[in-house]
Amino acid sequence: MPEATILNYIIGFIVSLCASIADAFGANLMKRDHTRNEALPPNLRKHEFLRWGWHLGLFCYVGSQVIGSTVALNFLKTQWVAPLGSAALIFNFLFARLLVGTPITRNDLYGTAIVICSVIWVVVFGGLGQGDDYENDLSLETLKLLYYRPLFITYFSILNVTTIGSFIFVAYTKKLLENNEKKQKIWLFKSIEDIRLLRLIGMSFACIGGLFASETLLLAKSGIRLLAISLSSDNQFTDALSISIVIGLVFTAILQLYCLNNALKYANSVVVIPLFYCFYTCVGLFNTCVYLNQFETYPWWVLLMILVGVIVLVFGVRLLSKSKNQDQHHIELPNPATEMPDLERSTSVTTNTK
């Protein structure tokens, strides 16, 4: 093996590892900042945009996603970068314990181990199609023409309707918590405790954020190339599709950050990060297969192995969420009033009545 190739592997591995550490550190720093802010009296709480801790966590997370992944892909193949990225789940445990004080249970360890193994399983078998160099051999014009295929238009429309519809529904549910009277009139929510509903909202935001992240990855395949060519030589933004790709890229990137931020507000980072990562990885792989029309290149047994990996992945995530629901370890939310800042009015009314 040439020395240059070995050096590329070493650089790619180090960059991927550093990106995973920054990813987990940034997410848990944001969670820590949310926890500290909610522990303050209502009149002392600040919006996240006014808190330096939140900005530092956001900077670390965005930097790990933008810089880390981009640099690593220049030295390693995609099918190796993705499994290395799952190391963020391991570091997530460490930082959740050190920064947030989250107790780590046996179910957490089992669930995260299952998620990591199944993610690697899915990515490895997912890389047995056309191969890594297939997409790199396609011209920019070919990548743009792939967007016009009826199958992709149908699939991407369904994906967007599902993702945006879920986002609106969860955002509406979150808004309902500010009006307990209105919440009690809706049969779907009136029997659910507020604390449990908040946790479900956090987990839902994590899943939706992963869906938006998978769309960001899909649009980045041609969007980054459009920007690179436009900056280095000729302007490529001469048609509606090119402009739409970049707008969609920015839009989905912002929404995934918004969803992740809200997920960390209301749910434990030990659950949020694996949920976000598994939706991002699995749906991202499926998006790529549809976009590049790669399903025909997979043997039936490879598709079966991918399906098995996804099923095991769902089981691992379920184990994580079940652990946090049963153990009731929520140091960052020591009481309902702290966890539910929107219910402070009802609490004060009760106190005044007494």
Side-chain angles (χ1 to χ4, degrees):
M1 184 180 292
E3 291 184 6
T5 304
I6 297 176
L7 182 61
N8 284 344
Y9 290 159
I10 295 174
I11 295 174
F13 176 80
I14 293 174
V15 170
S16 295
L17 190 64
C18 291
S20 297
I21 295 174
D23 185 308
F25 179 75
N28 279 282
L29 201 58
M30 291 166 66
K31 176 63 179 177
R32 179 173 179 262
D33 189 69
H34 284 310
T35 301
R36 288 189 167 187
N37 188 62
E38 294 301 321
L40 295 173
N43 60 318
L44 296 178
R45 293 174 187 167
K46 299 179 181 179
H47 193 275
E48 43 258 50
F49 290 127
L50 301 176
R51 306 196 304 261
W52 68 268
W54 181 85
H55 282 284
L56 180 59
L58 182 67
F59 176 78
C60 290
Y61 178 81
V62 173
S64 70
Q65 296 294 315
V66 176
I67 301 175
S69 300
T70 303
V71 174
L73 286 171
N74 289 325
F75 295 96
L76 288 178
K77 295 180 179 180
T78 306
Q79 66 191 52
W80 293 345
V81 173
L84 283 172
S86 63
L89 300 178
I90 301 175
F91 292 111
N92 182 54
F93 267 124
L94 177 63
F95 291 124
R97 180 61 179 162
L98 294 177
L99 297 179
V100 187
T102 303
I104 305 302
T105 67
R106 186 172 298 177
N107 277 351
D108 293 331
L109 295 173
Y110 291 157
T112 300
I114 291 173
V115 169
I116 292 173
C117 293
S118 54
V119 164
I120 295 175
W121 177 283
V122 168
V123 172
V124 168
F125 279 100
L128 296 179
Q130 285 276 18
D132 267 347
D133 296 332
Y134 172 72
E135 184 184 340
N136 295 331
D137 294 336
L138 298 178
S139 65
L140 179 59
E141 288 303 318
T142 303
L143 288 174
K144 289 167 66 175
L145 286 173
L146 289 173
Y147 285 104
Y148 290 108
R149 292 167 46 243
L151 174 62
F152 177 78
I153 292 174
T154 303
Y155 168 76
F156 202 56
S157 298
I158 294 174
L159 177 64
N160 272 293
V161 169
T162 303
T163 305
I164 295 175
S166 301
F167 174 79
I168 293 173
F169 176 76
V170 175
Y172 173 74
T173 305
K174 175 189 168 189
K175 194 70 176 175
L176 270 181
L177 292 173
E178 299 177 9
N179 191 334
N180 194 49
E181 204 174 295
K182 189 175 181 180
K183 171 181 171 286
Q184 294 301 321
K185 294 179 181 178
I186 302 177
W187 66 270
L188 185 63
F189 303 116
K190 65 180 182 180
S191 60
I192 304 177
E193 294 180 0
D194 292 329
I195 295 177
R196 186 182 172 206
L197 185 58
L198 265 184
R199 192 178 303 118
L200 290 174
I201 289 173
M203 294 171 65
S204 299
F205 268 125
C207 298
I208 297 168
L211 291 176
F212 278 124
S214 72
E215 293 190 27
T216 304
L217 178 65
L218 176 65
L219 294 170
K221 295 178 184 298
S222 50
I224 293 177
R225 196 177 296 187
L226 278 168
L227 289 170
I229 295 176
S230 298
L231 292 174
S232 61
S233 55
D234 299 328
N235 179 29
Q236 298 296 312
F237 298 101
T238 56
D239 56 278
L241 177 61
S242 299
I243 297 173
S244 299
I245 289 173
V246 175
I247 292 176
L249 180 61
V250 175
F251 181 71
T252 54
I254 292 174
L255 283 178
Q256 70 162 288
L257 289 174
Y258 176 84
C259 290
L260 179 62
N261 182 52
N262 277 277
L264 291 170
K265 275 185 181 180
Y266 305 123
N268 211 304
S269 58
V270 174
V271 177
V272 167
I273 303 303
L275 267 176
F276 182 91
Y277 195 88
C278 83
F279 270 79
Y280 162 68
T281 304
C282 293
V283 180
L285 174 64
F286 195 82
N287 290 348
T288 302
C289 290
V290 173
Y291 174 57
L292 298 177
N293 196 24
Q294 286 187 317
F295 284 111
E296 296 177 357
T297 67
Y298 287 91
W300 67 269
W301 62 271
V302 173
L303 294 175
L304 181 61
M305 290 297 99
I306 293 175
L307 179 61
V308 170
V310 172
I311 293 174
V312 176
L313 183 62
V314 172
F315 173 74
V317 171
R318 172 58 186 159
L319 194 62
L320 282 170
S321 61
K322 185 178 180 181
S323 165
K324 289 305 164 193
N325 286 338
Q326 287 182 347
D327 297 333
Q328 296 297 316
H329 287 148
H330 298 287
I331 291 180
E332 73 278 9
L333 301 172
N335 57 65
T338 302
E339 180 167 336
M340 288 285 300
D342 295 327
L343 297 181
E344 286 162 3
R345 290 194 303 272
S346 61
T347 305
S348 61
V349 169
T350 305
T351 305
N352 292 335
T353 303
K354 289 180 182 180

